[in-house]
Amino acid sequence: YRSLHIGKWHIGRSAERHLPQAKGFDAYEIMEGKQISGTMHVSAQDGEKKVQGKWRPAYQADRIMSFIDQNLGNGQNVYINWWPIEPHAVPINKELFYIPPTFDRADFEADAGKKIKKIDLDTPRGKLLAELHAFDHEFGRVVEHLRQKGVFADSLVIVTSDNGGYQGALSPDRMVSGHKETLWEGGIRVPFAASWPQRFAPGTRSARPIVSSDLFPTIMGLIGAPRPREVDGEDMSGVLLANQGTRRPIYFQARRAAWRRNSDDRVSDSFALIDNCQKIIEDEGMQSMYDVCQDPAEASDLSTSKDKRFETLRATMRQRRLAASEYL
């Protein structure tokens, strides 16, 4: 496989070993910051450069299609990471969200039909929807390009997100609690869609939990490659192929608010563990348990019902927390 990373890169850039090329990518273009159109700054494997683009995702879509054409023409398979900043809370002109230059209001309303109310572009949520709709158009261009090249049916396409919604732009009818930067469902439950027409039955749904660190070993399992050693995550290819398989409980720890601390208790006061449908969360010193399959709003605390699973989950979370600690 010839591989490309394009978009965000929050794994580090202070040394060569942190860059995409050191992680195995043949090519990369890191694009971050406030340049959304016009002259944009790009960090690539061949150095720093400035490019002229219509809109950042439009430029990225063009680069992805070019990479596909170049490598398929040489008989190579391709793997692509597209990590866009859009839609995202990017402070441009003192606004949390912005209306992309490619956004077409008439096109949006035609696509939306009567399914949603008319959006207010003066609100953060309205701008977020405009941004999402415009990005969806660029993503659609790439998918259509795969169709035109005759490879879509045998292509694995995954769409997901790294965190839940921004508090200032959440849907008023959302059915989950919390938001980005929390360990409540609204902060960690995100959409996940995978398409591979030759191998996945269309319309298949699953409630089995999967986490982003599972993607690497899962993709290796799907293409028949050996499981990489010493990587986080588990091979969940059985879930995608036949809705079968389990994984050990998923452990979450809130990100650190400061770089240097001297104990886990001081760097984070929020922890969670999900075992299939059962979730235990510790937030500000209080522990509770929920069935997040039946109760994604986390409204009914089951820890008060003398459920033995609560004590089991507490013990497991404690073990995982110790294993992840820097202060053993």
Side-chain angles (χ1 to χ4, degrees), residues 71-116:
N71 288 286
L72 290 185
N74 293 330
Q76 293 281 337
N77 291 328
V78 297
Y79 171 81
I80 296 167
N81 264 0
W82 188 2
W83 292 354
I85 295 177
E86 295 80 8
H88 207 278
V90 180
I92 297 174
N93 298 326
K94 299 182 180 179
E95 297 285 348
L96 282 172
F97 295 95
Y98 55 90
I99 301 171
T102 60
F103 176 68
D104 185 330
R105 179 63 183 255
D107 179 52
F108 174 85
E109 292 181 347
D111 281 357
K114 297 181 180 180
K115 295 181 180 179
I116 66 171

Side-chain angles (χ1 to χ4, degrees), residues 211-218 227-235 247-248 320:
V211 69
S212 54
S213 57
D214 294 335
L215 288 178
F216 185 18
T218 297
R227 173 183 167 82
R229 295 183 178 181
E230 299 180 358
V231 298
D232 293 332
E234 301 182 21
D235 180 359
R247 68 173 333 281
R248 68 172 181 161
R320 296 289 294 275

Side-chain angles (χ1 to χ4, degrees), residues 7-10 13 30-35 41 56 85:
K8 292 173 62 175
W9 185 260
H10 288 179
R13 295 166 62 184
I30 298 173
M31 303 180 70
E32 300 174 323
K34 300 180 181 180
Q35 306 104 332
H41 183 81
R56 185 164 48 199
I85 295 177

